[in-house]
């Protein structure tokens, strides 16, 4: 009975893997190399799994206790140990090498990647684009207030043309690499879009990063991937990948930091005037 | 016998079995309390090292403020050095079988240690009166934390010291148990002295 | 370490402590065997609490519309479940229970070297458990920061447990660590200094090697947790900023500044990774012995097994940041830690091969302990292989913080070692109680537990592949990602989990029923060579070995020795006393 159940488990697992509806979501970024590395790992580990468990099942059948069976007595076999060590090392190296090559790519954003800030807080996402000058203005957590939710440094000229997207959908342009600069103002979060494959923690007090190149237009959900309090599961956002024209249209509709500040000032003056006249 | 040679043995062979049959079952000829102290000191060493690593790592950040060094700290260092010296003299007196002298040096060591601890508390008081609180700044926080940890270990040592002093009155002159206790206490004190010197140097240099 | 070869007459026997009252005999016992049982019962009790928490968690995941618990409660439950299982159950069980019972017996000692300290270590552990348990009932409830307790969230408002829970958790951990250092001193020094004559380190069974190495790891690793816990307590209670950067909480600028959350993670995982080996190494040691005994064959490649245990233990200190690949730490660390992590896979794989090669050409008795060994190999292989995914830094990027990780660590640290614990209990129950556990109930328990656990965690990996994050109260409205079939899978997993939970109730019943009504065990029913079965009485009484300590003449794996009549030779039987098989004039030649 035991070997039967073992066989069912092994075969069942293989079948499950081959026919599972739950496998990677369709990829929408340049990180197909990650998927390839995963597939390579599946092949290697899958073969090892089947061979090792298959051999174990065989042993359970062949060497089952019978009346006259006597076990072998062999404390050591240097040959077996050496062969197994060498094979395992080769296998492991075969996984590590491609993995590190892809990792090297992951930590080396291309020069032309546009920096986009993703700012996380409990429990929603804000974004900031660098605007015309291509440079994000500096910020400080201590500047954060109701009027200045991003904590922009008012003195920094680079920040004036930054485009602020508060709690709304981030749009990306198809086929243009972006480098996400990740900033949190309260606790650890993690900016994760399954279809992009990439993710990185947001750490308050520092700026982290990762880069992607979106390759498929569409709408994608952002999932926070680092426990950040009771609202962790509800900290969602949306990323929309547009073609060049749609992206430009969207961009034109966005307000810069300067424009928002002017609007706020106008609102205040209007209110003051209204109060005065009453 | 290094760990490598031990692990290379083939216990199932008859040649090895002949050697093994005569083994006493102990890996070291040291008495148990000494082994216990050494293992404990290793664990304490790991603890202090980790705190120091955290300290050094933290130093790299921009908002590091240097703590002022009250002269009392230097005086305290001298006191603890002298307490170690007193313990050393105690062990020497033991070798000469002069138990009365040993007892006197033990008392001196204990008193000096209490002096050190009191001195450290006074340093804290002085710093607090100048407004250097534990929550003001990480370098202050580390200072209080590290010195508190050191004092706690000294207090633990003082408990052992009490037992040793008690034994010094009741033990027979030739008791090896008493000798061992004094020696081990001395080693522990030297260990905490070294820990203090390293901590102090680290605090001074930053 | 110097090998001391001392003539017998000069060895002094340590004076054994004899209890004088009911209290000091049955409650504040200094006998390692009773202390072991105290550890075991306490660990199982609090472990059962954690198991029940997991039932609520699984019901919430499968049936979110029911909202059986609130969000805050959910996060509190996952935190307590994780911390209890890893630290208060598994570590306490392997080191405190198995270590205390088996080490003195297996090395031929009458008790641990510091029995009073041993007793204090148990009561300290109990206090730590009570402090943790009390946090369920204090204002605000227990902490909900995840068992990893990451700052800044662990001590800030958005996370449950701010009033008292996080403080009680940290204090409980500190108490636990103090207690375990006391116990650890005992286990390590007993193995080094209290073995009986003839018991060299290489003649010790792998069970002792596993627990011993794990204890050494614990002595080095727990200080790191202690350091991080103390510093976090300072941040919480004294408003220091060891781990707290400048932050704005719900619109309010807090007074913290300049701290590093990543520093905490380094310290925590410097403890945390060795911790999983503290759980795994004793399991490795025990399963090696169980396979050997129940297949009547020496463990294949004994020397390699010892080296692997020691090597894995040492390497476990340089892999920790594979838990931090996406933490925002310096990305170049990823290269180093991925390499060391995949290197540690090699000795681990060798152990798996050796377990199976022990079965090869063996004489396999499919007893219940052997069944649990087979279950261990299946689940550990699975869990170890998925570790290769996560250890390879770039593959970890999409998979980290998803259900792939949850499936991996449950398989490799939850199921596999627990199968060993269960098998070990079936194996040593006759020694501890003198009775056998009921066989029918045992097989039922095994099959439901093994197959059920496999059905829980194998499919769960695939939820990770589609991107379902871990530590989510509910997936909510995510059509693109979380298809309704995935929701169905979660229901299936929950049902399997509840079934496995039920099977544990059968096991608990068996343990108590058999103590009264079980078949009386014959002496050394499994025909094991190791010393714990060679005591005059079964169960062994205070002092373990009667008037004279045993003398050891062979290693622990003389099973099916050519030339011997029986298929095992106990360690304390010299060659002259071995009954030879027909036609042999001396024991067969061993291969070198």
């Amino acid at each position: 009975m035991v070997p039967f159940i073992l066989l069912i488990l092994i075969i069942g697992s293989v079948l499950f893997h081959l026919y599972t509806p739950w496998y990677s979501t369709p990829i929408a970024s340049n990180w197909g190399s990650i998927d390839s590395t995963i597939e390579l790992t599946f092949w290697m580990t899958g073969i090892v799994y089947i061979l090792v468990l298959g051999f174990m099942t065989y042993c359970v059948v062949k060497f089952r206790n019978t009346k006259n069976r006597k076990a072998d007595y062999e404390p050591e076999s240097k040959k077996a140990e050496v062969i197994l060590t060498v094979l395992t090392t080769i296998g492991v190296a075969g996984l590590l090498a491609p993995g590190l090559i892809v990792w090297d790519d992951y930590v080396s954003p291309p020069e032309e990647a546009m920096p986009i800030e993703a700012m996380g807080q409990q429990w929603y996402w804000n974004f900031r684009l660098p605007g015309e000058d291509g440079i994000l203005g500096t910020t400080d957590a201590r500047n954060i207030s109701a009027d200045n939710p991003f904590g922009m440094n008012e003195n920094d000229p680079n920040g004036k043309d930054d485009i602020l997207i508060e709690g709304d959908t981030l749009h990306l342009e198809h086929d243009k690499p972006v480098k996400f600069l990740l900033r949190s103002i309260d606790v650890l979060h993690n900016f994760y879009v399954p279809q992009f494959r990439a993710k990185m923690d947001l750490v308050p007090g520092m700026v982290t990063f990762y880069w992607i190149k979106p390759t498929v237009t569409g709408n994608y959900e952002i999932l926070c991937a680092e426990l950040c309090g009771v609202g962790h599961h509800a900290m969602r956002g949306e990323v929309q990948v547009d073609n060049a024209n749609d992206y430009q249209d969207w961009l034109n509709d966005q307000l810069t930091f300067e424009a928002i500040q002017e609007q706020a000032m106008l609102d205040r003056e209007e209110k003051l005037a209204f109060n005065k006249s009453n | 016998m290094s760990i490598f040679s031990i692990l290379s043995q083939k216990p199932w062979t008859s040649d090895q079995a002949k050697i093994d049959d005569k083994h006493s079952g102990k890996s070291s000829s040291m008495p148990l309390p000494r082994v216990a102290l050494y293992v404990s000191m290793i664990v304490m060493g790991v603890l202090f090292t980790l705190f120091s690593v955290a300290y050094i790592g933290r130093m790299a950040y921009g908002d590091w403020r240097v703590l002022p060094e009250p002269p009392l700290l230097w005086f305290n260092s001298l006191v603890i050095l002298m307490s170690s010296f007193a313990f050393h003299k105690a062990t020497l007196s033991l070798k000469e079988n002069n138990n009365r002298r040993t007892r006197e040096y033990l008392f001196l060591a204990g008193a000096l240690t209490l002096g050190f601890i009191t001195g450290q508390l006074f340093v804290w008081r002085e710093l607090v009166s100048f407004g250097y609180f534990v929550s003001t700044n990480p370098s202050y926080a580390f200072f209080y934390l590290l010195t508190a940890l050191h004092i706690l270990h000294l207090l633990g040592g003082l408990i052992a010291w009490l037992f040793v002093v008690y034994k010094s009155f009741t033990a027979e002159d030739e008791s090896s148990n008493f000798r061992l206790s004094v020696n081990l206490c001395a080693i522990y004190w030297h260990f905490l002295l070294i820990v203090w010197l390293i901590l102090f140097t680290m605090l001074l240099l930053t | 370490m110097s090998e001391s070869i001392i003539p017998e007459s000069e060895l002094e026997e340590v004076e054994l402590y004899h209890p004088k009252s009911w209290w000091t005999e049955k409650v504040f016992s200094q006998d390692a065997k009773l202390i072991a049982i105290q550890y075991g019962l306490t660990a199982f009790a609090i472990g059962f609490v954690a198991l029940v928490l997991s039932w609520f968690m699984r019901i919430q995941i499968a049936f979110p519309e029911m909202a059986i618990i609130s969000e805050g409660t959910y996060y509190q439950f996952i935190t307590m479940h994780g911390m209890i299982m890893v630290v208060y159950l598994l570590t306490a069980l392997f080191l405190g229970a198995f270590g205390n019972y088996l080490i003195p017996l297996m090395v031929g000692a009458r008790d641990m070297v510091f029995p009073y300290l041993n007793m204090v270590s148990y009561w300290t552990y109990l206090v730590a458990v009570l402090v943790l348990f009390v946090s369920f009932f204090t204002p605000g409830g227990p902490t909900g920061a995840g068992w990893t307790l990451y700052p800044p969230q662990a001590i800030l408002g958005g996370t449950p447990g701010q009033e008292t829970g996080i403080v009680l958790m940290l204090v409980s951990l500190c108490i636990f660590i103090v207690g375990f250092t006391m116990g650890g001193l005992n286990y390590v020094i007993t193995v080094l200094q209290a073995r009986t004559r003839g018991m060299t380190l290489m003649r010790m069974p792998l069970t002792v090697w596993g627990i011993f190495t794990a204890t050494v790891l614990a002595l080095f690793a727990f200080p790191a947790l202690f350091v991080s816990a103390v510093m976090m307590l300072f941040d919480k209670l004294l408003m220091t900023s060891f781990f707290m950067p400048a932050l704005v909480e719900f619109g309010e600028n807090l007074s913290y500044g300049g701290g590093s959350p990543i520093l905490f993670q380094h310290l925590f995982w410097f403890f945390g990774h060795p911790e999983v080996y503290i759980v795994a190494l004793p399991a490795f040691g025990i399963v090696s012995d169980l396979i050997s005994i129940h297949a009547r064959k020496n463990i294949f490649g004994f020397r390699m097994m010892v080296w692997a245990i020691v090597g894995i233990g040492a390497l476990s200190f340089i892999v920790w940041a594979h838990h931090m690949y996406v933490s925002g730490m310096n990305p170049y660390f990823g290269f180093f830690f991925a390499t060391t992590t995949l290197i540690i896979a090699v000795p681990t794989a060798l152990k798996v091969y050796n377990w199976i090669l022990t079965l090869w050409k063996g004489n396999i008795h499919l007893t219940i302990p052997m069944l649990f060994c087979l279950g261990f190999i299946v689940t550990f292989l699975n869990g170890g292989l998925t570790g290769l995914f996560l250890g390879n830094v770039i593959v970890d990027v999409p998979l980290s913080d998803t259900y792939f990780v949850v499936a991996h660590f449950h398989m490799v640290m939850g199921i596999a070692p627990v199968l060993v614990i269960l098998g070990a209990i079936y194996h040593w129950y006759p020694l501890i109680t003198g009775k056998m556990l009921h066989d029918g109930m045992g097989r039922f328990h095994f099959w439901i537990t093994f197959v059920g656990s496999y059905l829980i965690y194998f499919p769960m990996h695939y939820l990770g592949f589609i991107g379902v994050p871990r530590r989510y109260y509910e997936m909510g409205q995510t059509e693109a990602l979380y298809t309704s079939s995935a929701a169905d899978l979660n229901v299936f997993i929950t049902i399997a989990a509840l079934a496995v939970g039920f099977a544990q109730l059968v096991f608990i019943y068996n343990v108590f029923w058999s103590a009264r009504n079980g078949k009386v065990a014959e002496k050394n029913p499994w025909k094991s060579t190791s010393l714990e079965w060679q005591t005059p009485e079964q169960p062994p009484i205070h002092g373990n070995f009667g008037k004279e300590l045993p003398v050891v003449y062979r290693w622990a794996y003389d099973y099916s020795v050519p030339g011997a009549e029986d298929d095992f030779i106990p360690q304390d039987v010299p060659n002259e006393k071995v009954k030879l098989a027909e036609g042999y004039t001396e024991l067969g030649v061993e291969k070198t």
Side-chain angles (χ1 to χ4, degrees), chain C residues 237-407:
Chain C
L237 299 174
L238 299 176
M239 304 302 286
T240 51
S241 297
F242 289 113
F243 305 128
M244 310 296 283
L247 36 84
V248 178
E249 188 195 7
F250 301 125
E252 195 195 319
N253 260 297
L254 299 183
S255 66
Y256 295 112
S260 167
I262 295 196
L263 174 62
F264 176 87
Q265 293 181 38
H266 278 297
L267 285 168
F268 181 85
W269 288 113
F270 184 79
F271 147 74
H273 194 81
E275 164 66 10
V276 317
Y277 287 105
I278 291 168
V279 168
L281 291 177
F284 292 167
I286 292 174
V287 85
S288 300
D289 284 351
L290 294 184
I291 292 180
S292 187
I293 295 169
H294 293 268
R296 316 309 293 155
K297 184 160 177 276
N298 63 270
I299 191 73
F300 185 87
F302 172 73
R303 283 199 303 171
M304 182 65 92
M305 293 303 245
V306 176
W307 296 349
I309 287 181
V310 173
I312 291 171
L315 284 171
S316 73
F317 280 99
I318 57 170
V319 301
W320 80 88
H322 67 224
H323 300 272
M324 295 169 61
Y325 284 146
V326 294
S327 66
M329 70 173 178
N330 185 329
Y332 289 96
F333 287 177
F335 290 101
F336 175 76
F337 284 102
T339 309
T340 53
T341 303
L342 262 60
I343 289 177
I344 209 174
V346 178
T348 318
L350 291 178
K351 291 189 83 71
V352 175
Y353 305 144
N354 283 2
W355 287 319
I356 299 188
L357 286 170
T358 306
L359 293 172
W360 166 255
K361 291 203 190 149
N363 179 8
I364 303 171
H365 296 250
L366 288 174
T367 57
I368 297 177
M370 174 55 87
L371 290 177
F372 276 103
C373 293
L374 297 176
F376 166 81
I377 295 176
V378 172
T379 50
F380 182 74
L381 182 63
N382 184 296
L385 289 174
T386 56
L388 286 176
F389 285 80
L390 297 171
N392 206 352
V393 49
I394 192 62
V395 176
D396 183 61
V397 170
L399 297 176
S400 95
D401 250 273
T402 65
Y403 269 96
F404 190 91
V405 178
V406 176

Side-chain angles (χ1 to χ4, degrees), chain A residues 118-192:
Chain A
M119 188 178 110
Q121 61 193 93
Q122 284 168 321
W123 286 286
Y124 56 97
W125 298 95
N126 292 333
F127 303 98
R128 192 155 64 100
L129 303 176
E132 294 277 323
D133 63 356
I135 302 174
L136 284 165
T138 54
T139 57
D140 192 324
R142 314 241 190 231
N143 293 339
I144 292 182
S145 68
D147 289 331
N148 188 356
F150 282 74
M152 306 284 297
N153 274 332
E154 317 235 332
N155 307 324
D156 186 349
N158 293 325
K160 294 221 187 301
D161 65 348
D162 286 358
I163 295 174
L164 306 183
I165 301 159
E166 207 178 334
D168 205 355
T169 306
L170 170 70
H171 287 240
L172 297 177
E173 190 176 348
H174 175 258
D175 236 27
K176 289 280 191 310
V178 297
K179 176 177 170 181
F180 285 113
L181 296 173
L182 307 167
R183 174 165 76 106
S184 164
I185 62 169
D186 46 30
V187 299
L188 298 171
H189 299 279
N190 187 304
F191 186 70
Y192 175 48

Side-chain angles (χ1 to χ4, degrees), chain C residues 303-563:
Chain C
R303 283 199 303 171
M304 182 65 92
M305 293 303 245
V306 176
W307 296 349
I309 287 181
V310 173
I312 291 171
L315 284 171
S316 73
F317 280 99
I318 57 170
V319 301
W320 80 88
H322 67 224
H323 300 272
M324 295 169 61
Y325 284 146
V326 294
S327 66
M329 70 173 178
N330 185 329
Y332 289 96
F333 287 177
F335 290 101
F336 175 76
F337 284 102
T339 309
T340 53
T341 303
L342 262 60
I343 289 177
I344 209 174
V346 178
T348 318
L350 291 178
K351 291 189 83 71
V352 175
Y353 305 144
N354 283 2
W355 287 319
I356 299 188
L357 286 170
T358 306
L359 293 172
W360 166 255
K361 291 203 190 149
N363 179 8
I364 303 171
H365 296 250
L366 288 174
T367 57
I368 297 177
M370 174 55 87
L371 290 177
F372 276 103
C373 293
L374 297 176
F376 166 81
I377 295 176
V378 172
T379 50
F380 182 74
L381 182 63
N382 184 296
L385 289 174
T386 56
L388 286 176
F389 285 80
L390 297 171
N392 206 352
V393 49
I394 192 62
V395 176
D396 183 61
V397 170
L399 297 176
S400 95
D401 250 273
T402 65
Y403 269 96
F404 190 91
V405 178
V406 176
H408 162 74
F409 68 67
H410 276 94
M411 205 51 118
V412 78
M413 193 164 86
I415 304 308
V418 167
L419 290 178
V420 173
I421 289 174
L422 295 172
I425 292 177
Y426 282 91
H427 180 82
W428 276 299
Y429 190 85
L431 179 68
I432 301 173
T433 62
K435 302 269 175 66
M436 304 294 280
L437 277 167
H438 187 271
D439 198 79
M441 276 196 264
R443 284 175 198 269
F444 174 79
H445 171 228
F446 166 71
W447 285 111
I448 307 277
T449 305
F450 169 53
V451 176
S453 304
Y454 194 83
L455 291 177
I456 296 172
Y457 293 111
F458 184 79
M460 195 186 279
H461 291 91
Y462 294 84
L463 287 176
F465 273 117
I466 64 174
V468 180
R470 64 185 284 208
R471 294 170 163 177
Y472 262 39
Y473 173 66
E474 54 177 4
M475 269 314 287
Q477 305 299 319
T478 32
E479 259 322 302
L481 181 54
Y482 193 61
T483 63
S484 64
S485 63
D488 291 340
L489 179 58
N490 261 328
V491 173
F492 172 77
I493 291 176
T494 295
I495 294 174
L498 294 174
V500 172
F502 166 71
Q504 305 323 302
L505 296 177
V506 172
F507 173 65
I508 294 172
Y509 177 74
N510 192 356
V511 167
F512 286 107
W513 181 89
S514 300
R516 182 85 71 79
N517 309 315
K519 195 174 79 163
V520 174
E522 55 175 294
K523 184 84 174 19
N524 196 357
W526 311 113
K527 309 253 178 292
S528 163
T529 61
S530 41
L531 289 181
E532 82 275 20
W533 296 99
Q534 320 307 333
T535 56
E537 293 92 2
Q538 180 175 293
I541 60 170
H542 189 57
N544 292 344
F545 292 102
K547 253 179 133 200
E548 271 188 37
L549 287 173
V551 178
V552 171
Y553 297 96
R554 61 192 66 254
W555 70 327
Y557 299 98
D558 267 347
Y559 292 99
S560 306
V561 181

Side-chain angles (χ1 to χ4, degrees), chain C residues 79-90:
Chain C
T79 305
M80 295 297 271
H81 168 83
M83 188 64 86
I84 291 174
M85 287 302 199
V86 173
V87 174
Y88 297 85
L89 172 70
L90 289 173

Side-chain angles (χ1 to χ4, degrees), chain A residues 40-62:
Chain A
L40 171 68
T41 314
F42 256 123
W43 276 105
M44 290 254 222
T45 54
I47 291 174
V48 169
Y49 196 61
I50 297 170
L51 284 178
V52 171
L53 288 187
F55 183 60
M56 185 178 94
T57 311
Y58 169 72
C59 288
V60 169
V61 171
K62 187 103 197 289

Side-chain angles (χ1 to χ4, degrees), chain C residues 102-116:
Chain C
L102 295 174
I103 290 180
L105 283 168
M106 282 185 159
V107 304
R110 295 203 182 281
D111 206 314
M112 289 283 184
V113 283
F114 305 121
Y116 183 77

Side-chain angles (χ1 to χ4, degrees), chain A residues 234-248:
Chain A
M235 184 167 167
R236 310 291 174 93
E238 200 184 348
V239 176
Q240 189 171 308
V241 178
D242 294 325
N243 60 38
N245 289 334
D246 292 338
Y247 181 71
Q248 205 47 55

Side-chain angles (χ1 to χ4, degrees), chain C residues 31-233:
Chain C
D31 186 318
K33 296 187 289 300
L34 189 50
I35 295 175
I37 296 183
Q38 290 173 319
Y39 265 109
L41 291 175
T42 309
F44 271 117
I46 196 69
F48 188 73
V49 169
L51 183 65
V52 172
L53 295 180
S54 76
W55 297 343
F56 282 97
M57 285 149 54
R58 274 312 315 178
I59 294 177
Q60 168 58 38
I61 295 170
F63 308 111
E65 22 357 303
M66 230 169 97
I68 191 172
I69 48 179
S70 68
E71 297 97 337
T73 308
Y74 181 77
Y75 290 119
Q76 290 172 314
F77 279 16
I78 61 173
T79 305
M80 295 297 271
H81 168 83
M83 188 64 86
I84 291 174
M85 287 302 199
V86 173
V87 174
Y88 297 85
L89 172 70
L90 289 173
T91 309
L93 205 53
F94 274 121
L95 266 48
F98 284 103
N100 263 310
Y101 203 93
L102 295 174
I103 290 180
L105 283 168
M106 282 185 159
V107 304
R110 295 203 182 281
D111 206 314
M112 289 283 184
V113 283
F114 305 121
Y116 183 77
L117 198 63
N118 208 14
M119 184 265 292
V120 173
S121 87
Y122 166 70
W123 290 97
T124 310
Y125 164 66
L126 182 65
V127 167
V129 168
L130 291 172
V131 169
L132 185 69
F133 189 66
V134 138
S135 71
F136 275 110
F137 307 106
T138 52
T143 177
W147 93 279
T148 46
L149 304 176
Y150 280 2
Q153 37 264 62
I155 62 174
L156 288 180
T159 300
Q162 286 317 304
E163 290 95 321
T164 54
I166 183 68
V167 172
L168 287 172
M169 165 72 83
L170 295 170
V171 167
S172 168
L173 286 173
C174 290
I175 298 174
F176 178 92
I177 293 168
V178 168
F180 257 78
T181 307
M182 294 192 248
L185 279 174
N186 255 309
Y187 315 147
V188 161
I189 298 180
T190 303
V191 168
L192 288 177
Q193 295 297 95
R195 286 168 276 135
T196 188
R197 169 171 218 75
M199 178 65 87
T200 62
L201 288 173
M202 291 303 269
R203 279 176 165 181
M204 296 192 311
L206 284 165
T207 298
V208 181
W209 272 105
I211 301 178
F212 171 69
T213 312
T215 310
V216 171
L217 256 59
L219 290 175
F220 279 107
F222 273 118
L225 180 64
F226 191 84
V227 167
S228 48
V230 167
M231 285 161 74
M232 190 182 276
L233 274 170

